[in-house]
Amino acid sequence: MQVHRMKLLIGSAGTLIFAIIFGWVLFPSILKFMISKQVTLKPGTDIRDLWSATPFPLHFYIYVFNVTNPDEVSQGGKPRVQEVGPFVFDEWKDKYDLVDDVVEDTVSYNMRNTFIFNEKASSPLTGEEIINFPHPIVQSAGITVQRERAPMIELVAKALTIVFPDGKAFITAKFMDLFFRGINVDCSSEEFAAKALCTVFYTGEVKQAKQVNQTHFLFSFLGQANHSDAGRFTVCRGVKNNKKLGMVVKFADEPEMDVWPGDECNRFIGTDSTVFPPALKREDGLWAFTPDICRSLGAVYQRKTSYHGMPAMKYTLDLGDVRMDEKLHCFCDDPEDLDTCPPKGTMNLSPCVGAPLMASMPHFYKGAQKLLEDVDGLHPNEKDHAVYIDFELMSGTPFQAAKRLQFNLDVEPVEGIEPLKHLRKLIMPLFWIEEGVHLNKTYTNMVKYTLFLGLKFNSGLRWTLITLSLVGLMSTAYLFYQKSDSLDITVPPKIIKEQNKVANIQPVEKESPVVHQNVPIPGLNLSNPKVVNRERY
């Protein structure tokens, strides 16, 4: 069959154009549209069910810094710390009291986190390990009063000796008591000073304290946060605008915070970290609001990676240096005075939690050098202490992630309180946590079979068409070069296979053996031979 060179040119060019438009424009648009219809928080969707009650636990690690020289530190010495951990917990997340607003396309809910100690994963640690730890009430109360209510320092000093008779700068307690069961706070005294101090417990200002009877409380870092209300969120459902899926609109029924001295720092940016919108651009970053530190943090793109054979983008974040970014000056005590800004790699949590706490990356990773010089026993490195998330942009799926944060005490000497008067001024590491997830095959296969098989099909189709079109264009160019009008693409007839010749060969008859017979010779009779004796000469 003869194919004219112009027809070949038009067909090849058309195939090339179709492959480009379909492969890079139409198919991705169709796929994004299909995903946008499926990935919403509308009631009844699979995403809504997964989002409202995560069907698997996140891992939650706690690492505590045990102070090995507490007496020396109390007298002004340099702290030496020893990391103890991880204490492993299974963290279950669910949302309750969900209320949808169809008009605003939002859903309001209360977040709840439940921590269950994982003995097997924590082994050999049991949670009963003894820890030397900066006293969370004595030191915090003394430092806060000195900074904010200095005239009351004498009253508070007396109250601390009554409520904590053995109160020192450091407490020796079991891990579980410090973090979940609680340490005892005795408010039974009738002394005015003690009652004044205990007022903050009775009014609920100390959120980490639980009242057990009329005169006693138990204080722990996470006990009150376990299986309790973690705040009421209002987020976009993404039905009307998929790009706003999960974006925080309100927290505690407020459209913005009133914590920091600046509008930029009080804004809600991003999601609640349990869901992200699909079809994000990698330069957009991954933003989430964290109520524990009253701040929205954004992870930035680092590099390409893969997870179980599927391509992904790796993102990371750190607290940076607020002095270097004018928009972040509102995280300083005085935005006009940069000397009041926290050191590089830290964040002042005092306006958020009401205690002299600082946030940082674990072991002061990517923090100011002085932070490491003030404390012995810290060894920051990227593998163990960086925040990362491996993310699939098209579907908005986090494959694996580790959110790490360290809590520190902003220590200074308190002249009016005897146990605290000799302390060094430094940022003292207390503990750090890691909250993370690694999707198993059950959930990665959902992404693989609904997204990546389609992408592979599209890739295979478009490159096949492009290859065929290029072959056609090269053939057309050859025809023009040879000044030939057409190309012969006649298919040759099938070659008929010859029959097996061996099968047609007739078998050769086996020849009979030749029998030699005596042939008579004329004049010679051998039947009666006569022997004639002849003499030898």
Side-chain angles (χ1 to χ4, degrees), residues 287-325:
W287 285 84
F289 170 63
T290 305
D292 295 335
I293 62 173
C294 304
R295 182 176 176 179
S296 296
L297 293 172
V300 296
Y301 170 77
Q302 186 181 45
R303 59 182 173 85
K304 291 182 179 180
T305 185
S306 63
Y307 185 75
H308 288 180
M310 292 179 288
M313 304 290 179
K314 184 174 287 293
Y315 287 77
T316 186
L317 70 83
D318 59 70
L319 296 178
D321 189 352
V322 299
R323 300 184 187 205
M324 305 303 294
D325 190 341

Coordinates of all heavy atoms in Angstrom, one line a residue, residues 287-325:
W287 N 1.4 24.2 55.1 CA 1.2 25.0 56.3 C 0.1 24.3 57.2 O -0.8 23.7 56.8 CB 0.7 26.4 55.9 CG 1.8 27.2 55.4 CD1 2.2 27.3 54.1 CD2 2.6 28.2 56.1 NE1 3.3 28.2 54.0 CE2 3.5 28.8 55.2 CE3 2.6 28.6 57.4 CZ2 4.4 29.8 55.6 CZ3 3.5 29.6 57.8 CH2 4.4 30.2 56.9
A288 N 0.4 24.5 58.5 CA -0.6 23.9 59.5 C -0.5 24.8 60.8 O 0.5 25.3 61.1 CB -0.2 22.5 59.8
F289 N -1.7 24.9 61.4 CA -1.8 25.7 62.6 C -1.6 24.7 63.8 O -2.3 23.7 63.9 CB -3.2 26.4 62.7 CG -3.5 27.0 64.1 CD1 -2.7 28.0 64.6 CD2 -4.5 26.5 64.8 CE1 -2.9 28.5 65.8 CE2 -4.8 27.0 66.1 CZ -4.0 28.1 66.6
T290 N -0.8 25.1 64.8 CA -0.5 24.3 65.9 C -0.9 25.0 67.2 O -0.2 26.0 67.6 CB 1.0 23.9 66.0 OG1 1.4 23.3 64.8 CG2 1.3 23.0 67.2
P291 N -2.1 24.7 67.8 CA -2.5 25.4 69.0 C -1.6 25.3 70.2 O -1.5 26.3 71.0 CB -3.9 24.7 69.3 CG -4.3 24.0 68.1 CD -3.0 23.6 67.4
D292 N -0.8 24.3 70.3 CA 0.1 24.1 71.4 C 1.1 25.3 71.5 O 1.6 25.6 72.6 CB 0.8 22.8 71.4 CG -0.1 21.6 71.5 OD1 -1.2 21.8 72.1 OD2 0.2 20.5 71.1
I293 N 1.5 25.8 70.4 CA 2.5 26.9 70.4 C 1.9 28.2 69.8 O 2.6 29.2 69.6 CB 3.7 26.5 69.6 CG1 3.4 26.2 68.1 CG2 4.4 25.3 70.2 CD1 4.6 26.0 67.3
C294 N 0.5 28.2 69.6 CA -0.2 29.4 69.1 C 0.5 30.0 67.8 O 0.7 31.2 67.7 CB -0.2 30.5 70.2 SG -0.9 30.0 71.7
R295 N 0.8 29.1 66.9 CA 1.5 29.6 65.7 C 1.2 28.6 64.5 O 1.0 27.4 64.7 CB 3.0 29.6 65.9 CG 3.8 30.1 64.8 CD 5.2 30.3 65.1 NE 6.1 30.6 64.0 CZ 7.4 30.9 64.0 NH1 8.0 30.7 65.1 NH2 8.0 31.2 62.9
S296 N 1.2 29.2 63.3 CA 1.1 28.4 62.1 C 2.5 28.3 61.5 O 3.3 29.3 61.5 CB 0.3 29.1 61.0 OG -1.1 29.2 61.5
L297 N 2.9 27.1 61.2 CA 4.2 26.8 60.7 C 4.1 26.2 59.3 O 3.2 25.4 58.9 CB 5.0 25.8 61.6 CG 5.3 26.3 63.0 CD1 5.9 25.1 63.8 CD2 6.3 27.4 62.9
G298 N 5.1 26.6 58.4 CA 5.1 26.1 57.0 C 6.3 25.3 56.7 O 7.4 25.8 56.9
A299 N 6.1 24.1 56.1 CA 7.2 23.3 55.7 C 7.5 23.7 54.2 O 6.6 23.9 53.4 CB 6.9 21.8 55.8
V300 N 8.8 23.7 53.9 CA 9.2 24.1 52.6 C 9.8 22.9 51.8 O 10.3 22.0 52.4 CB 10.3 25.2 52.6 CG1 9.7 26.5 53.2 CG2 11.5 24.8 53.4
Y301 N 9.7 23.0 50.5 CA 10.2 21.9 49.6 C 11.7 21.8 49.7 O 12.4 22.7 49.7 CB 9.8 22.1 48.2 CG 10.4 21.2 47.2 CD1 9.9 19.9 47.0 CD2 11.5 21.6 46.4 CE1 10.5 19.0 46.1 CE2 12.1 20.7 45.5 CZ 11.6 19.4 45.4 OH 12.2 18.6 44.5
Q302 N 12.1 20.5 49.9 CA 13.6 20.2 50.0 C 14.1 19.5 48.7 O 15.0 19.9 48.1 CB 13.9 19.4 51.2 CG 15.4 19.2 51.5 CD 15.6 18.4 52.8 OE1 15.0 17.4 53.0 NE2 16.5 18.9 53.6
R303 N 13.5 18.4 48.4 CA 13.9 17.5 47.3 C 12.9 16.5 46.9 O 11.9 16.3 47.7 CB 15.3 16.9 47.6 CG 15.2 16.0 48.8 CD 16.5 15.3 49.2 NE 16.5 14.6 50.4 CZ 16.2 13.3 50.5 NH1 15.8 12.7 49.5 NH2 16.2 12.7 51.7
K304 N 13.1 15.8 45.8 CA 12.3 14.7 45.4 C 12.7 13.5 46.1 O 13.9 13.3 46.5 CB 12.4 14.5 43.9 CG 11.8 15.6 43.1 CD 11.8 15.3 41.6 CE 11.2 16.4 40.7 NZ 11.3 16.1 39.3
T305 N 11.7 12.6 46.4 CA 12.0 11.3 47.1 C 11.0 10.3 46.6 O 10.2 10.6 45.6 CB 12.0 11.5 48.6 OG1 12.4 10.3 49.2 CG2 10.6 11.9 49.1
S306 N 10.9 9.2 47.2 CA 9.9 8.1 46.9 C 9.5 7.4 48.2 O 10.3 7.4 49.2 CB 10.5 7.2 45.9 OG 11.6 6.4 46.4
Y307 N 8.4 6.8 48.1 CA 7.9 6.0 49.2 C 7.1 4.8 48.7 O 6.2 4.9 48.0 CB 6.9 6.9 50.1 CG 6.4 6.2 51.3 CD1 7.3 6.1 52.4 CD2 5.1 5.7 51.4 CE1 6.8 5.5 53.6 CE2 4.7 5.1 52.6 CZ 5.5 5.0 53.7 OH 5.1 4.4 54.8
H308 N 7.7 3.6 49.0 CA 7.1 2.3 48.5 C 7.0 2.4 47.0 O 6.0 1.9 46.4 CB 5.8 2.0 49.1 CG 5.9 1.6 50.6 ND1 4.8 1.3 51.4 CD2 6.9 1.5 51.4 CE1 5.1 1.0 52.6 NE2 6.4 1.1 52.6
G309 N 8.0 2.9 46.3 CA 8.0 3.0 44.9 C 7.2 4.1 44.2 O 7.2 4.2 43.0
M310 N 6.6 4.9 45.0 CA 5.8 6.0 44.5 C 6.5 7.3 44.7 O 7.1 7.6 45.8 CB 4.4 6.1 45.2 CG 3.5 4.9 44.9 SD 1.9 4.9 45.7 CE 2.4 4.6 47.4
P311 N 6.5 8.2 43.7 CA 7.3 9.5 43.8 C 6.6 10.4 44.8 O 5.4 10.4 44.9 CB 7.2 10.0 42.4 CG 6.0 9.4 41.7 CD 5.9 8.0 42.3
A312 N 7.4 11.1 45.5 CA 6.9 12.0 46.5 C 7.8 13.2 46.6 O 8.9 13.2 46.0 CB 6.8 11.3 47.9
M313 N 7.4 14.3 47.3 CA 8.2 15.4 47.6 C 8.5 15.5 49.1 O 7.6 15.3 49.9 CB 7.4 16.7 47.2 CG 7.0 16.7 45.8 SD 8.3 16.9 44.6 CE 7.5 16.9 43.0
K314 N 9.8 15.7 49.4 CA 10.2 15.9 50.8 C 10.2 17.3 51.2 O 10.8 18.2 50.6 CB 11.6 15.2 51.1 CG 12.0 15.3 52.5 CD 13.3 14.5 52.8 CE 13.1 13.0 52.7 NZ 12.2 12.4 53.7
Y315 N 9.5 17.6 52.3 CA 9.4 18.9 52.9 C 10.0 18.9 54.3 O 10.0 17.9 55.0 CB 8.0 19.4 53.0 CG 7.3 19.7 51.7 CD1 6.9 18.7 50.8 CD2 7.1 21.1 51.3 CE1 6.3 19.1 49.6 CE2 6.5 21.4 50.1 CZ 6.1 20.4 49.2 OH 5.5 20.7 48.0
T316 N 10.5 20.1 54.7 CA 11.1 20.2 56.0 C 10.9 21.6 56.5 O 10.5 22.5 55.8 CB 12.6 19.9 56.0 OG1 13.1 19.9 57.3 CG2 13.4 21.0 55.2
L317 N 11.0 21.8 57.8 CA 10.9 23.1 58.4 C 11.7 23.3 59.7 O 12.2 22.3 60.3 CB 9.4 23.4 58.8 CG 8.7 22.6 59.9 CD1 9.0 23.3 61.3 CD2 7.2 22.6 59.7
D318 N 11.9 24.5 60.0 CA 12.6 24.8 61.3 C 12.0 26.2 61.8 O 11.3 26.8 61.0 CB 14.1 24.9 61.2 CG 14.6 25.9 60.1 OD1 14.5 27.1 60.4 OD2 15.1 25.4 59.1
L319 N 12.4 26.6 62.9 CA 11.8 27.8 63.5 C 12.5 29.1 63.0 O 12.1 30.2 63.2 CB 11.9 27.8 65.0 CG 11.0 26.7 65.7 CD1 11.2 26.7 67.2 CD2 9.6 26.9 65.3
G320 N 13.7 28.9 62.3 CA 14.3 30.0 61.7 C 14.8 31.1 62.7 O 15.0 30.8 63.9
D321 N 15.1 32.3 62.2 CA 15.5 33.4 63.0 C 14.6 34.6 62.8 O 14.6 35.2 61.7 CB 17.0 33.8 62.5 CG 17.6 34.8 63.5 OD1 16.9 35.3 64.3 OD2 18.8 35.1 63.3
V322 N 13.8 34.9 63.8 CA 12.7 35.9 63.6 C 13.3 37.3 63.4 O 12.7 38.2 62.8 CB 11.8 35.9 64.8 CG1 11.1 34.6 65.0 CG2 12.6 36.2 66.1
R323 N 14.6 37.5 63.8 CA 15.2 38.8 63.6 C 15.4 39.1 62.1 O 15.4 40.2 61.7 CB 16.6 38.8 64.3 CG 16.5 38.6 65.8 CD 17.9 38.8 66.4 NE 17.8 38.4 67.8 CZ 18.7 38.9 68.7 NH1 19.7 39.7 68.3 NH2 18.6 38.5 69.9
M324 N 15.6 38.0 61.3 CA 15.9 38.2 59.9 C 14.7 38.4 59.0 O 14.8 38.7 57.8 CB 16.7 37.0 59.4 CG 18.0 36.7 60.2 SD 19.1 38.1 60.3 CE 19.6 38.2 58.6
D325 N 13.5 38.2 59.5 CA 12.3 38.3 58.8 C 11.4 39.3 59.4 O 10.9 39.1 60.5 CB 11.6 36.9 58.7 CG 10.4 36.9 57.7 OD1 9.9 38.0 57.3 OD2 10.0 35.9 57.3

